[in-house]
Amino acid sequence: MGTELVQISNTGAPKHEERAKPEVIPQSGERNARTFYIETFGCQMNVHDSEKVAGTLVARGYRPVDNHADAELIFYNTCSIREKAAEKVFSHLGALKKAYRQNPKTIAVLGCVAQQEGERIFERAPQVSLVCGSASYTQLPDLLDQVEAGKRRVTGLSLDTDECFETELTRRDNPFRAYLTIIEGCDQRCSFCVVPMTRGPERSRPSETILDECRRLVDEGYIEIQLLGQIVNNWRDPSSRRLSFAELLSRVAEVPGVRRVRFTTSHPRYFTPDIVQAIDTHPALCDQVHLPVQSGSSRVLARMLRGYTREEYLEKINCVRSAKRAISISTDIIVGFCGESNEDFERTISLLEIVEYDQVFSFKYSPRPNTPAAGFEDSVAEEEKGRRLAELLERQRLIQLRRNQMLVGQEFEVLVESFQTRLQQAVGRTTSNRVVNFPGEPGWIGRAINVRVTAAGPNSLVGVRADQSFSDSAATR
Ligand code: SAM
């Protein structure tokens, strides 16, 4: 969830499913407008940044297209969380160079790789005209002026900012779920993580502007709001209201018309009982918490500079489990971090069995430039990292299967997100973020439908629409 690291299409949707994708209707005169294409890599924050960049471009008279062949201006919004993700960008740039050798296009690199590599990108990929990190997105109109004037090697790379990228020009592609960034940057400096170096210092948006945007989103027909931040629960209200994060969650959930609210990513260090109380109090707050643990060994956690021990983390889990609602819990885990012994790894496996997560996003440790851990020895061999990852995935698969099978026979509200034409199946999510497939119709996209679970696998549920006299509701706009 919070950290779904998938390659996202231009619409913000995973590429394999049919979604409620709004048709791009050219405004009058737009047919002749300059065209752009944005490809986004990485987390939801990147997806949402791309939506804001797209809004800025549309406001300048550009027209979005679905592929780079039709575009005059091509943007890559990049991720550098692991080496593979960063290298992927350069291989895409190489392919573009080859494809458009005769007819070069204007290419811009945005996001974390832009910030991390800076002007070195021009050396490796001379066809690139603009390199801009996320902390400089507020300057995009000015940078685009320079690109449009034909200037080459335009950069926006300063990290010295206390501004958030607030804009009303966001061009959201999902018609019912809206991302909303409430805190940008990160000051945590976990020893493995490149984010503080690529996204700049932590800066929170004032509660009034967040709540205003939520109200606007409901007016526009959105029913699910996902509050985003690298460490979303470290949000601090810079306005005189001084709301706590839990109070903000409650206020967002109380906005009339908001049906579901999610938030990601929470850091265990700032995860407080009032967040659980807010979830218990407000039905619109989804019964789901993403709480990355990274490792089950206190020794490794100390080397990672995470700021909590295994025992302290388990106390947070107990707090979530003590809620009146059954709250599903997901996590992120890194295997093979510098100095991780077999015994440390076994502590992670035992944590999995204790917590019984509903979903786990797991990664092999990848050394990143300029991070504290870049100075440690990357002591676990690649093969061993692979072995540990495979073991962890298998243990977690069995846990998820067991937990999902306990749901067979129960009924859940499912918000339909897509439709698989070949199988004639609607695909949606419960508030606990479980994927449910059930026989349906394309017109159900965006509707909340009661579904009875008939079968369960480790990664999804299968169901049938429950008695229509329940509370199915047309939540579409
Ligand atoms: N800011 C969030 C936090 O600190 O929990 C998550 C940020 S990151 C986009 C998502 C996940 O990528 C992390 O939780 C971690 O598990 C993983 N990750 C980050 N740096 C990594 C690295 N150097 N190697 C492997 N995985 C990494």
Side-chain angles (χ1 to χ4, degrees):
M1 68 126 317
T3 43
E4 271 171 305
L5 293 164
V6 291
Q7 187 180 331
I8 309 286
S9 72
N10 206 30
T11 60
K15 284 181 168 165
H16 55 280
E17 280 177 5
E18 198 175 288
R19 296 211 163 213
K21 185 181 145 200
E23 199 187 340
V24 178
I25 301 166
Q27 310 286 314
S28 61
E30 248 195 18
R31 278 194 194 284
N32 298 323
R34 293 193 68 190
T35 49
F36 73 95
Y37 169 74
I38 306 184
E39 187 147 334
T40 307
F41 300 86
C43 60
Q44 288 102 322
M45 285 195 76
N46 268 9
V47 172
H48 187 37
D49 283 345
S50 290
E51 293 177 337
K52 293 194 257 185
V53 171
T56 307
L57 288 162
V58 170
R60 289 174 77 86
Y62 283 81
R63 180 165 63 87
V65 291
D66 272 344
N67 57 71
H68 56 68
D70 293 337
E72 289 161 74
L73 185 53
I74 301 171
F75 287 85
Y76 280 132
N77 189 2
T78 60
C79 169
S80 66
I81 201 80
R82 281 167 291 279
E83 192 183 355
K84 255 194 192 154
E87 278 310 308
K88 210 175 192 175
V89 176
F90 286 105
S91 78
H92 276 63
L93 287 172
L96 283 189
K97 188 177 173 190
K98 230 168 141 185
Y100 303 117
R101 186 161 280 141
Q102 305 304 331
N103 180 20
K105 304 206 174 209
T106 307
I107 299 171
V109 178
L110 307 180
C112 294
V113 174
Q115 192 65 52
Q116 183 185 292
E117 297 297 319
E119 303 204 354
R120 283 194 298 269
I121 291 178
F122 298 130
E123 308 306 323
R124 275 184 80 174
Q127 72 276 30
V128 171
S129 300
L130 169 66
V131 170
C132 180
S134 64
S136 301
Y137 287 164
T138 48
Q139 296 163 31
L140 262 180
D142 174 47
L143 300 173
L144 288 166
D145 280 346
Q146 297 179 45
V147 172
E148 283 165 4
K151 193 170 169 212
R152 301 294 315 272
R153 301 195 165 199
V154 176
T155 54
L157 293 170
S158 171
L159 284 177
D160 184 18
T161 182
D162 55 5
E163 281 181 70
C164 289
F165 184 24
E166 287 204 37
T167 172
E168 289 187 20
L169 304 176
T170 309
R171 189 182 173 279
R172 292 183 169 86
D173 274 332
N174 188 310
F176 55 90
R177 180 203 302 132
Y179 291 139
L180 200 164
T181 300
I182 63 167
I183 174 170
E184 292 184 17
C186 184
D187 291 339
Q188 285 309 300
R189 306 209 172 263
C190 300
S191 64
F192 53 82
C193 190
V194 80
V195 169
M197 273 66 76
T198 58
R199 286 191 165 269
E202 237 169 36
R203 48 223 191 260
S204 295
R205 285 178 64 184
S207 50
E208 298 96 288
T209 70
I210 296 170
L211 292 166
D212 281 350
E213 188 165 350
C214 288
R215 285 187 277 268
R216 257 197 330 270
L217 289 168
V218 170
D219 287 345
E220 288 170 21
Y222 293 95
I223 52 170
E224 177 171 324
I225 293 182
Q226 285 201 16
L227 304 177
L228 302 179
Q230 284 301 327
I231 303 218
V232 72
N233 56 333
N234 202 22
W235 174 83
R236 311 273 165 100
D237 191 355
S239 76
S240 55
R241 287 196 199 177
R242 295 271 174 254
L243 294 189
S244 68
F245 175 67
E247 285 167 338
L248 178 75
L249 288 180
S250 303
R251 299 286 172 87
V252 172
E254 285 162 5
V255 170
V258 169
R259 194 177 184 101
R260 289 186 175 185
V261 182
R262 300 187 195 275
F263 53 97
T264 196
T265 298
S266 297
H267 193 295
R269 195 163 164 186
Y270 308 102
F271 196 86
T272 45
D274 55 351
I275 298 174
V276 178
Q277 278 155 20
I279 295 176
D280 258 343
T281 310
H282 296 279
L285 289 176
C286 287
D287 37 23
Q288 176 215 357
V289 166
H290 184 67
L291 207 54
V293 65
Q294 313 299 359
S295 168
S297 155
S298 295
R299 201 181 72 88
V300 174
L301 289 171
R303 293 202 96 199
M304 288 178 163
L305 304 179
R306 286 291 286 176
Y308 53 85
T309 61
R310 171 190 173 99
E311 291 68 31
E312 285 162 348
Y313 180 86
L314 285 172
E315 275 170 30
K316 309 276 176 179
I317 295 295
N318 281 340
C319 172
V320 179
R321 293 278 185 239
S322 69
K324 290 182 225 124
R325 291 162 74 179
I327 298 175
S328 85
I329 305 176
S330 55
T331 200
D332 293 347
I333 291 176
I334 297 176
V335 298
F337 184 63
C338 316
E340 184 190 74
S341 64
N342 252 325
E343 200 187 344
D344 290 320
F345 176 65
E346 286 308 321
R347 300 282 285 159
T348 298
I349 295 291
S350 86
L351 188 100
L352 281 194
E353 299 289 350
I354 293 170
V355 178
E356 296 209 302
Y357 292 105
D358 294 291
Q359 203 172 8
V360 171
F361 300 89
S362 47
F363 313 98
K364 290 193 274 184
Y365 170 62
S366 165
R368 305 311 296 128
N370 307 319
T371 56
F376 305 166
E377 187 195 349
D378 182 18
S379 56
V380 181
E382 202 50 35
E383 203 182 356
E384 177 59 14
K385 284 180 188 171
R387 191 200 65 75
R388 289 180 192 179
L389 186 66
E391 180 178 341
L392 185 138
L393 287 170
E394 178 53 16
R395 298 292 277 263
Q396 180 58 25
R397 191 185 71 79
L398 296 174
I399 291 169
Q400 281 176 209
L401 185 61
R402 201 163 63 226
R403 286 185 68 77
N404 283 347
Q405 280 176 342
M406 291 191 311
L407 305 178
V408 173
Q410 296 186 35
E411 275 183 31
F412 297 97
E413 179 197 88
V414 176
L415 191 56
V416 180
E417 295 184 1
S418 61
F419 182 76
Q420 293 188 325
T421 314
R422 192 173 56 83
L423 302 169
Q424 291 291 295
Q425 293 251 321
V427 186
R429 282 174 200 269
T430 63
T431 93
S432 66
N433 209 32
R434 288 184 170 87
V435 173
V436 187
N437 299 275
F438 60 105
E441 296 166 17
W444 291 1
I445 292 176
R447 288 182 61 169
I449 293 192
N450 280 330
V451 175
R452 193 175 64 254
V453 177
T454 53
N459 298 315
S460 62
L461 306 173
V462 175
V464 290
R465 185 178 185 173
D467 183 341
Q468 291 183 32
S469 64
F470 280 85
S471 64
D472 287 7
S473 57
T476 39
R477 43 183 177 148

